[in-house]
Amino acid sequence: MSFPWANHYQPTNPFMRWMDEKLPLPRFVYNAIGAGYPVPRNLNYWWNFGVLAGFCLMIQIVTGIILAMHYAPNALVAFDSTEHIMRDVNWGWMLRYAHANGASAFFVVVYTHIFRGFLFSSYKAPREMIWLLGVVIFLLMMATAFMGYVLPWGQMSFWGAKVITGLFGAIPLVGEPLQIWLLGGFAPDNAALNRFFSLHFLLPFVILGVVILHIWALHIPGSSNPTGVEVKQESDTVPFHPYYTAKDGFGLAAFLVIYTAFVFFMPNALGHPDNYIPANPLSTPAHIVPEWYFWPFYAILRAFTFDFFFVPAKLLGVLAMFAAILVWFFLPWLDTSPVRSARYRPMLRKFIWFGFVPCMAALFYLGGAPAEEPYVMFSQLAAAYYFAHFLIILPIVSMIEKTKPLPNSITEAVLAKNGAAAAE
Amino acid sequence: MVRLIGILVGIFFSGWLLVTLAVGFFTWASEPKVETAEHVFHEHPKALHLASDGPFGHFDLQQVQRGYKVYKEVCSACHSLRHVAFRDLEQLGYTEAQVKAEAATWMVPGIDPVTGEDTMRAALPTDYFPKPYPNDVAARAANNNAIPPDLSLMAKARHNGDAYVYSLLTGYQDQPAELLAEFPEAKTPDGLHYNPYFPNLNLAMAQPLVDGQVDFDDGSPNDLDSMSQDVAAFLVWTAEPTLAKRHATGWPVVLFLLIATVLAYLAYRNVWRNEKH
């Protein structure tokens, strides 16, 4: 679907006309990310991050495929083959650092993209399906990143794999057999490393498939915008190309400056030094921590230290950790407010900036901190707010909040903003 | 229905966390704080400045060569360097012939070409640095039950690894009297050695390096502090021989992208010049 005023693809070049008759791929691109896709004219920089996420996926797939040509998924030589890439493969160090920091960049971008969704309630009708597919992408990303981190077969690879697969052991009755089945043994070893490599290669392409669905679903209602008011007329939109290709080009270049600064000047800043020690099942690291992008959920996992009657604390932690992400699936129905954008929802806006943001900052810090007091107490407080925010505060606020008046249209909002700027 | 279940689930998780928090806080506040010797006396690495630091960092080849000499004459008795080959020494400014001659001063395991029996032969540039012990059992037996770790990646395998190496080498001392007074049970056991830069304060390695132990051909200072810095510089190189190339490549890339960002911004402003947003 598109708006009736959308530009139509009219090839003038005879070859493109011929192509359009046989396989209308250029027409498809034109309508998807070209001049044929009308987009609200008022998108701000929060809306750059979707394109950046797609770009990160491309970086990861390209660098990953080349790394796979040199890496050996065998517990005996995996660590050494990673060092072989770093030392002997032409530009191997750059590919590996680009891939490792690319994963971090991907998560920075995707967390920002998701937060945009919270701030502007992008999950609301008619865009529920885009949101649900987005959460699926995020879950797939987490699985892919976890398995990728195991591949260098360093100390944190091994012990991270042991702790995370150990979570399945918390499931009553079937937990332990399930864990052994998943690992192909009693502890992570060659069987686990091989299947993780296989799945780490496969899942990015599954992600790519879901990303295509995500964008397809996006093109049905069209992009949301910072006012949360739907597009009503032609003056509300501009064609994606050249307007947003230009804006995304600027965003992409700025992103690449930061990303390459990490790759070339501080490639190990986000990693853990223990992963430069080969995996050793007989030597447990002092503090086992996953990569930084899992820290909020790791903090929630470790916040549960007491059994709830006959439910063991570990199982509660596992349930809470998964619930922390699964709750996102229900946001379109937990939030009943008729207004989308937090700009016009003063109460929700305060809860997001003064409740949710500090809570997430704390969870990010605490997940990487040692599992000792007072960190555990702070993570309990932050995790309590996390669940309260989505499951209690959001439904109640969306029912009782008195929202601010909405502009009649995007055009009106834009003109009002520019009028105010001109008057100043 | 979704909202009702959601609120109940939220009350359960948040409520139980708050109960846990309250009990945890009570326990934490009422229990006396137990301090450990490691916690009180462990020290973070001393500041160390090497040519390889920072985004302009490159190798001081003279210093790395000195560090190599210390490794060869001291460290290599117990520590392997398994990711480094003799051919890599060419990156330190040695010629191909010098590397060949240097490799030949090391013995590596080989096979007798006539009898097929295990034997030792002079190393070739293509060989990797040999292991000092045939296996882990031998390494443990010779070192008070501790395996001397491989040093190839040491500078990256510890927080602030180069400063850690330097601090550890220069940090050997007698146990402070306050430590023994406060934690009598933390007295360094026989066969271990006190060093405040080691995570648990006592390590199996005796002080490996002392003033004047290695002589440098060019008369560079060979006090303990200088030599420890040289070893740290050498291990930064072994951990990432491509470091200097990485920095040298990074600058053109980042500067190119900065210019591209400015141009992209101007293009963006130009495209949007007639469109209010």
Side-chain angles (χ1 to χ4, degrees):
Chain A
M1 191 217 94
S2 188
F3 299 109
W5 58 83
N7 293 322
H8 287 279
Y9 181 64
Q10 282 161 331
T12 47
N13 179 307
F15 172 75
M16 296 307 272
R17 268 208 301 274
W18 179 86
M19 185 75 184
D20 191 46
E21 285 167 16
K22 314 305 186 241
L23 178 72
L25 191 63
R27 175 182 295 273
F28 179 79
V29 172
Y30 182 90
N31 289 336
I33 51 169
Y37 178 42
V39 185
R41 64 197 270 187
N42 60 337
L43 302 191
N44 55 30
Y45 285 110
W46 287 109
W47 267 260
N48 278 64
F49 288 84
V51 165
L52 291 182
F55 189 80
C56 286
L57 179 63
M58 292 304 142
I59 294 179
Q60 292 305 84
I61 288 179
V62 171
T63 54
I65 284 175
I66 304 172
L67 286 170
M69 295 174 187
H70 300 280
Y71 168 79
N74 180 301
L76 289 175
V77 293
F79 187 90
D80 291 357
S81 76
T82 309
E83 276 307 309
H84 159 73
I85 290 170
M86 294 297 290
R87 287 155 195 269
D88 297 329
V89 174
N90 291 331
W91 300 98
W93 56 270
M94 191 172 79
L95 287 167
R96 175 161 177 259
Y97 281 152
H99 197 69
N101 287 282
S104 288
F106 200 175
F107 274 96
V108 169
V109 165
V110 162
Y111 276 129
T112 313
H113 189 58
I114 295 171
F115 181 67
R116 198 282 315 274
F118 295 150
L119 206 51
F120 296 97
S121 307
S122 305
Y123 44 78
K124 276 182 173 297
R127 297 185 181 78
E128 306 97 310
M129 185 52 77
I130 312 171
W131 175 259
L132 298 179
L133 290 166
V135 181
V136 170
I137 293 171
F138 181 68
L139 289 170
L140 287 168
M141 274 177 67
M142 292 185 92
T144 311
F146 159 68
M147 288 189 277
Y149 192 56
V150 176
L151 302 185
W153 209 239
Q155 273 289 68
M156 279 299 161
S157 300
F158 177 89
W159 289 95
K162 188 156 171 139
V163 169
I164 300 300
T165 55
L167 299 180
F168 291 93
I171 300 169
L173 301 174
V174 296
E176 210 165 312
L178 182 65
Q179 185 192 346
I180 292 169
W181 180 72
L182 285 172
L183 281 175
F186 296 101
D189 204 342
N190 212 31
L193 181 60
N194 266 297
R195 65 189 59 176
F196 282 12
F197 177 64
S198 174
L199 292 173
H200 184 72
F201 204 109
L202 167 72
L203 286 184
F205 297 97
V206 178
I207 292 176
L208 185 64
V210 186
V211 165
I212 289 169
L213 298 182
H214 188 67
I215 297 172
W216 187 4
L218 170 71
H219 279 72
I220 292 177
S223 300
S224 64
N225 73 85
T227 63
V229 178
E230 286 297 325
V231 169
K232 288 175 181 154
Q233 57 207 347
E234 185 168 1
S235 66
D236 290 347
T237 66
V238 290
F240 189 86
H241 179 73
Y243 288 94
Y244 284 105
T245 40
K247 192 168 183 179
D248 285 332
F250 167 54
L252 180 64
F255 160 80
L256 283 175
V257 170
I258 301 167
Y259 167 65
T260 51
F262 269 91
V263 170
F264 290 102
F265 301 126
M266 40 192 163
N268 294 306
L270 299 168
H272 197 292
D274 278 16
N275 228 27
Y276 281 109
I277 305 171
N280 181 354
L282 301 177
S283 160
T284 316
H287 300 295
I288 301 174
V289 286
E291 286 275 81
W292 70 267
Y293 34 78
F294 293 137
W295 285 354
F297 305 102
Y298 197 57
I300 290 173
L301 170 77
R302 295 191 303 181
F304 287 83
T305 50
F306 278 1
D307 297 354
F308 182 77
F309 298 101
F310 46 83
V311 185
K314 188 182 173 190
L315 177 59
L316 269 181
V318 173
L319 289 175
M321 185 179 74
F322 284 112
I325 303 168
L326 296 184
V327 65
W328 296 353
F329 277 119
F330 298 95
L331 290 187
W333 298 279
L334 288 170
D335 181 353
T336 52
S337 173
V339 175
R340 292 201 187 93
S341 171
R343 276 185 188 174
Y344 306 103
R345 300 175 70 180
M347 205 191 269
L348 178 71
R349 188 181 190 160
K350 285 195 186 74
F351 274 110
I352 287 179
W353 285 109
F354 301 112
F356 180 70
V357 168
C359 155
M360 281 312 283
L363 287 174
F364 261 115
Y365 173 75
L366 296 163
E372 54 195 46
E373 299 296 4
Y375 304 115
V376 176
M377 290 191 296
F378 284 116
S379 52
Q380 284 159 346
L381 189 63
Y385 181 81
Y386 182 92
F387 287 107
H389 181 86
F390 287 118
L391 292 168
I392 303 171
I393 294 170
L394 186 64
I396 292 176
V397 164
S398 65
M399 276 187 283
I400 63 169
E401 183 171 44
K402 193 171 176 317
T403 56
K404 290 186 190 169
L406 289 173
N408 286 316
S409 71
I410 293 170
T411 309
E412 190 190 287
V414 168
L415 293 179
K417 184 180 140 197
N418 281 278
E424 267 169 22
Chain B
M1 198 60 189
V2 173
R3 284 178 292 283
L4 185 66
I5 296 171
I7 289 175
L8 289 175
V9 170
I11 289 174
F12 170 72
F13 277 133
S14 301
W16 190 241
L17 280 163
L18 291 176
V19 170
T20 317
L21 171 62
V23 179
F25 180 77
F26 181 75
T27 325
W28 177 72
S30 57
E31 273 180 359
K33 306 284 167 293
V34 183
E35 283 288 17
T36 58
E38 292 99 84
H39 195 242
V40 181
F41 286 91
H42 179 252
E43 284 179 45
H44 288 289
K46 293 185 270 193
L48 171 68
H49 301 289
L50 295 176
S52 51
D53 291 347
F56 293 101
H58 54 90
F59 295 116
D60 174 351
L61 293 184
Q62 299 285 317
Q63 187 179 32
V64 178
Q65 288 186 5
R66 291 198 298 274
Y68 167 64
K69 191 168 191 215
V70 180
Y71 169 76
K72 184 182 180 185
E73 294 187 14
V74 185
C75 319
S76 69
C78 305
H79 291 280
S80 54
L81 205 57
R82 67 193 188 92
H83 293 294
V84 184
F86 292 103
R87 60 180 155 83
D88 295 330
L89 294 176
E90 271 188 52
Q91 300 168 24
L92 297 188
Y94 296 112
T95 62
E96 207 179 324
Q98 282 174 317
V99 168
K100 210 168 175 181
E102 177 60 31
T105 65
W106 293 72
M107 295 300 281
V108 295
I111 292 172
D112 188 301
V114 181
T115 64
E117 283 172 354
D118 289 342
T119 173
M120 296 299 277
R121 61 170 172 82
L124 298 169
T126 48
D127 285 314
Y128 281 76
F129 276 84
K131 294 193 290 182
Y133 300 103
N135 53 55
D136 285 355
V137 180
R140 278 190 191 282
N143 292 285
N144 201 18
N145 202 28
I147 300 175
D150 184 82
L151 293 184
S152 324
L153 284 161
M154 190 51 74
K156 288 205 289 192
R158 299 288 183 275
H159 283 290
N160 207 355
D162 49 349
Y164 169 81
V165 169
Y166 163 68
S167 306
L168 197 76
L169 289 175
T170 54
Y172 284 89
Q173 53 187 266
D174 291 331
Q175 258 186 321
E178 314 90 81
L179 188 155
L180 290 171
E182 214 175 319
F183 306 99
E185 75 289 350
K187 186 176 172 358
T188 302
D190 282 342
L192 296 185
H193 308 273
Y194 181 79
N195 193 321
Y197 299 99
F198 195 68
N200 72 6
L201 305 180
N202 301 304
L203 76 165
M205 176 170 73
Q207 178 165 353
L209 206 53
V210 292
D211 283 332
Q213 192 169 343
V214 177
D215 283 319
F216 298 117
D217 302 336
D218 63 350
S220 294
N222 61 351
D223 54 291
L224 172 61
D225 196 85
S226 308
M227 285 193 298
S228 302
Q229 295 193 25
D230 298 345
V231 172
F234 174 64
L235 292 183
V236 170
W237 175 75
T238 63
E240 191 162 342
T242 53
L243 180 142
K245 189 181 180 189
R246 167 157 68 75
H247 290 159
T249 313
W251 280 108
V253 171
V254 171
L255 289 176
F256 171 84
L257 286 168
L258 275 173
I259 295 167
T261 306
V262 172
L263 292 178
Y265 181 72
L266 295 174
Y268 155 60
R269 289 299 299 263
N270 188 40
V271 167
W272 282 81
R273 68 191 179 280
N274 293 325
E275 204 62 53
K276 289 193 170 64
H277 61 289

